[in-house]
Amino acid sequence: MIRSIFLTALTCFILVQAQAQDLYMPRDIQAAYKKGTRSADGNPGKKYWQNHGRYNITISALPPDRNIKGTEQIIYINNSPDTLKGLNMKMILNIHKPGAARAGTAQPNYLTPGIQIDTFLVNGQPKKFNSAMASTNYIVSLPKALMPHDSVKLNIAWHFQISLESGREGMIDSTTYYLAYFYPRVSVYDDYNGWDRLPFVDAQEFYNDFNDYTLQVKAPKNYIVWATGTLQNTNQVLQPEYAKRLQASMTSDSTIHVATTTDLAAKNVTAQNDINTWIWKANDISDMAVGISDHYVWDAASTIVDDATQRRASMQAAFLDNAADFHHAVQNGRNSLSWLSHNWPGVPYPFPKMTAFQGFADMEYPMMVNDSHTEDIRFSQFVQDHEIAHTYFPFYMGINESRYAYMDEGWATTFERLIGASEVGQEKADELYKSFRVEGWINNASTSEDLPVITPSSELKAGYGNNAYGKPSLSYFALKDMLGDALFKKALHGYMDRWHGKHPIPWDYFNSMNSVSGRNLNWFFNNWFFTNYYIDLSLQGITKVKGGYTAAIKNIGGFAVPFDVKITYADGTTETIHQTPGVWEKNQRQTTVNLKTVKAIKSAVLDGGIFMDADVSNNKFTTK
């Protein structure tokens, strides 16, 4: 019996290995599988590990003073089997330094001296630090090597000037700041690449470990602070009435105006100490972000995100009172949190709150979004939906956005269309998806736009946007169409269950979807991720056969897409026959569709819906 079980397990392992080998795998990724940190069945390997940090950060922000001062203690734990002789520190705000490598140009208001390190101690020993370097990476040698399963303590003091030009972070106005990537951190050391030394060039995004944070923000009286995490000392920083309103919002479906313009003008919202210290905590999370203002109004409510436990999540918004769209942010956000939790991806929102902060970036952070104001309330909702959807990718799943942007942007783009259909109807959601996510790619024949999606995002420039957003999203919709909603969701949940709180890479997604669905989908993944295909179908002809007709269809572009054959009969009636991407499994360049009918066909046309065709001139055929 034991021998039989062993042989069965061995056979399954060999089968999974064979399937996994169908897809190109870079040599560094191969090495991770050989070491056992990742598994060919899509699970983390038995030897999987990831490092962890405990961050205790204090920052002082005193608008209109642009100088931000900070101190932090980091306990960095080496869970790897490797001995680390140094640490790679991420200094993201050095992107503002003159001379820093950037994907684009920098205006004068963007430039600052970057992060200036005042002291840097390793286990109490001072280390020299060259703050003049215009780099977002800095390697610190350790006086004593960090052994496997040991830890090191870093104590750092630093300061920087907040940028006058606001983007993902910076000055929103003279007394409103958005602080992101504001603290030195230890970069990710992982099982397939070692230290993440990719420079931040203000284009691709980020890659962070899951850490535990305590954050103290010192701000003047009458300034409200919003941040990632749970506020620990509400009654110490807010006057009783406003603390009461905030508490009431935690169980309220209706929007509660925690602080209005009238309240702010009276200067009685916060405790009246010269400086208030706001304390926030968040564990097992990938980053912290902070918003601060003395004139942003504050709305809040909550919604149930987990029916099994009746757990509620808080939805808050901080904004200028004259921004009409942000007056809808809390209720739109409640809809997002509930819908995403109950529908797609259908995983309960994993955090205690979400805050929409009015800025300029349209950018996601753990438990916060920094969104721009628009006059179009529906479009503002669309943007907020997208940014909140990022909760799952990359914050529930620790995606390496710098290398594999399609692993998070592609999913947020997919969820934005799915939730959009529930908000504005399928037709309007599809039109926006096509105009915003597909047209720019399918109508651009340049070589860079058809580079394979698997191409590391850090190596792309012109083709980055479409490879990160539209093309991978289309692949997810194509797979959903082929598998059906139930099996697709089962496989997606399997992938998410295995890798939440960890660092998945594309092959983990491919292997998990194969394993959980019980299907070898490598032909599909190879088609969508490893080729320079595009979408272009041609209806070559319709032939009369016994029992009806056959339609011959050529796949000129190559992508395995679903499509409809829309038939017009001689009597004027119409019929639509849907084909899933599965029709391309055996032959990705040619297929035939049987059209069973006793009626005479007058004409037929191919319609891909959101799978827009590069050349629609050959999509129609009229019988003679």
Side-chain angles (χ1 to χ4, degrees):
M1 183 67 176
I2 294 175
R3 183 173 182 271
S4 175
I5 293 172
F6 173 76
L7 290 174
T8 301
L10 181 62
T11 301
C12 290
F13 177 76
I14 292 171
L15 176 61
V16 171
Q17 288 279 33
Q19 291 177 354
Q21 290 169 2
D22 291 343
L23 298 176
Y24 163 74
M25 185 181 288
R27 287 177 289 166
D28 53 353
I29 306 299
Q30 289 180 37
Y33 281 86
K34 290 176 182 176
K35 288 185 294 187
T37 55
R38 294 171 193 266
S39 173
D41 66 0
N43 280 291
K46 291 182 179 179
K47 296 182 179 180
Y48 180 81
W49 54 266
Q50 63 192 45
N51 290 349
H52 181 75
R54 294 196 294 269
Y55 285 69
N56 194 326
I57 305 170
T58 299
I59 60 169
S60 177
L62 308 174
D65 186 349
R66 290 173 54 203
N67 293 295
I68 310 297
K69 297 179 181 179
T71 61
E72 68 182 330
Q73 181 182 91
I74 306 171
I75 305 296
Y76 181 71
I77 303 162
N78 178 20
N79 293 318
S80 83
D82 304 329
T83 298
L84 305 179
K85 296 181 179 180
L87 304 176
N88 189 61
M89 303 298 298
K90 285 291 183 184
M91 316 285 284
I92 301 298
L93 291 188
N94 279 349
I95 188 66
H96 291 283
K97 280 188 173 184
R102 296 184 194 88
T105 58
Q107 300 300 317
N109 278 350
Y110 183 84
L111 298 176
T112 75
I115 293 181
Q116 302 296 305
I117 300 297
D118 301 315
T119 58
F120 197 108
L121 306 180
V122 179
N123 288 334
Q125 298 183 36
K127 290 288 297 182
K128 289 184 178 180
F129 203 101
N130 181 7
S131 294
M133 289 181 60
S135 173
T136 55
N137 288 293
Y138 192 102
I139 298 174
V140 175
S141 61
L142 297 175
K144 178 183 177 183
L146 179 58
M147 304 301 290
H149 312 296
D150 200 356
S151 64
V152 62
K153 181 172 71 173
L154 309 178
N155 288 91
I156 309 170
W158 77 98
H159 66 276
F160 65 91
Q161 280 189 358
I162 190 169
S163 170
L164 290 169
E165 179 184 318
S166 184
R168 291 171 171 172
E169 39 72 34
M171 183 182 289
I172 310 298
D173 59 46
S174 62
T175 57
T176 303
Y177 295 173
Y178 195 83
L179 306 178
Y181 331 118
F182 56 87
Y183 57 97
R185 72 190 76 189
V186 183
S187 70
V188 176
Y189 183 81
D190 61 33
D191 62 308
Y192 65 91
N193 185 58
W195 288 113
D196 171 35
R197 291 195 177 105
L198 285 175
F200 174 60
V201 294
D202 216 10
Q204 289 80 24
E205 295 179 14
F206 305 94
Y207 183 32
N208 299 316
D209 274 324
F210 289 87
N211 301 310
D212 298 336
Y213 290 92
T214 298
L215 172 65
Q216 299 186 74
V217 181
K218 295 181 179 295
K221 63 184 177 182
N222 303 319
Y223 278 81
I224 300 173
V225 178
W226 299 266
T228 302
T230 300
L231 182 60
Q232 302 295 298
N233 61 336
T234 306
N235 294 327
Q236 282 70 52
V237 293
L238 292 176
Q239 299 279 13
E241 172 61 26
Y242 305 99
K244 180 181 176 181
R245 293 182 194 177
L246 180 60
Q247 183 60 37
S249 75
M250 299 297 173
T251 54
S252 174
D253 292 335
S254 301
T255 300
I256 290 177
H257 304 303
V258 179
T260 66
T261 52
T262 301
D263 299 324
L264 294 166
K267 298 187 183 300
N268 65 353
V269 174
T270 73
Q272 291 301 292
N273 306 306
D274 288 341
I275 301 295
N276 291 314
T277 301
W278 301 64
I279 304 173
W280 304 85
K281 283 195 173 183
N283 288 340
D284 200 28
I285 201 162
S286 57
D287 205 356
M288 298 289 278
V290 176
I292 178 172
S293 180
D294 66 346
H295 58 278
Y296 268 25
V297 297
W298 186 2
D299 283 354
S302 64
T303 188
I304 293 172
V305 294
D306 189 341
D307 292 339
T309 63
Q310 292 295 292
R311 178 172 63 86
R312 299 181 77 95
S314 169
M315 181 67 214
Q316 303 180 30
F319 55 96
L320 289 171
D321 192 49
N322 63 5
D325 53 342
F326 271 86
H327 280 279
H328 297 267
V330 164
Q331 289 303 320
N332 287 344
R334 287 184 67 249
N335 179 68
S336 297
L337 297 181
S338 177
W339 196 95
L340 293 165
S341 296
H342 292 97
N343 296 277
W344 293 99
V347 172
Y349 180 74
F351 304 128
K353 80 163 196 294
M354 169 59 68
T355 300
F357 192 89
Q358 183 184 345
F360 298 105
D362 301 335
M363 181 70 189
E364 73 281 359
Y365 309 82
M367 301 189 217
M368 295 191 79
V369 296
N370 177 9
D371 283 347
S372 52
H373 157 67
T374 75
E375 297 298 329
D376 185 336
I377 292 173
R378 281 295 188 192
F379 189 76
S380 293
Q381 182 180 20
F382 164 81
V383 172
Q384 183 173 284
D385 284 344
H386 177 96
E387 307 309 343
I388 291 177
H390 271 300
T391 291
Y392 298 96
F393 304 88
F395 303 135
Y396 185 71
M397 317 280 285
I399 304 300
N400 184 341
E401 301 175 90
S402 301
R403 291 180 186 272
Y404 307 122
Y406 42 87
M407 292 186 72
D408 79 299
E409 294 293 359
W411 282 110
T413 301
T414 298
F415 297 148
E416 86 191 13
R417 174 180 174 247
L418 291 168
I419 191 174
S422 73
E423 295 167 345
V424 299
Q426 194 67 63
E427 184 177 351
K428 287 184 178 178
D430 285 357
E431 285 306 312
L432 180 58
Y433 182 87
K434 288 191 290 185
S435 64
F436 204 62
R437 302 302 191 189
V438 186
E439 283 185 359
W441 161 60
I442 202 63
N443 295 324
N444 186 339
S446 63
T447 303
S448 59
E449 298 299 344
D450 287 338
L451 289 172
V453 175
I454 202 71
T455 307
S457 306
S458 53
E459 307 305 313
L460 292 170
K461 190 169 183 181
Y464 169 75
N466 290 317
N467 261 20
Y469 294 79
K471 288 161 68 177
S473 176
L474 286 169
S475 85
Y476 304 144
F477 279 120
L479 187 57
K480 179 174 177 286
D481 186 273
M482 186 171 74
L483 295 181
D485 282 3
L487 184 56
F488 179 76
K489 181 174 282 189
K490 177 185 176 183
L492 175 59
H493 283 187
Y495 164 54
M496 295 178 72
D497 289 345
R498 293 168 175 192
W499 286 97
H500 79 84
K502 300 180 176 66
H503 293 310
I505 56 178
W507 291 266
D508 300 316
Y509 163 69
F510 303 144
N511 293 336
S512 286
M513 297 298 280
N514 283 341
S515 173
V516 181
S517 72
R519 303 265 297 270
N520 184 352
L521 301 168
N522 281 350
W523 73 270
F524 177 88
F525 295 134
N526 186 70
N527 177 283
W528 270 97
F529 286 85
F530 294 86
T531 70
N532 57 353
Y533 291 163
Y534 58 103
I535 304 172
D536 185 15
L537 303 183
S538 171
L539 179 53
Q540 295 186 298
I542 297 177
T543 304
K544 186 76 174 73
V545 296
K546 185 177 180 180
Y549 296 81
T550 61
I553 300 164
K554 185 176 182 180
N555 192 344
I556 297 171
F559 270 151
V561 295
F563 60 91
D564 290 335
V565 183
K566 294 188 172 181
I567 304 166
T568 300
Y569 293 107
D571 63 5
T573 60
T574 61
E575 182 181 5
T576 298
I577 297 176
H578 182 71
Q579 299 294 296
T580 79
V583 300
W584 305 110
E585 181 172 2
K586 293 181 179 179
N587 185 339
Q588 295 177 28
R589 289 298 188 178
Q590 188 76 39
T591 193
T592 57
V593 178
N594 294 322
L595 310 175
K596 295 181 180 180
T597 181
V598 296
K599 296 183 178 182
I601 292 179
K602 179 182 178 182
S603 64
V605 64
L606 302 181
D607 183 1
I610 60 169
F611 297 87
M612 298 178 68
D613 202 290
D615 178 10
V616 298
S617 67
N618 53 15
N619 286 18
K620 187 173 182 179
F621 188 86
T622 302
T623 59
K624 296 179 181 179

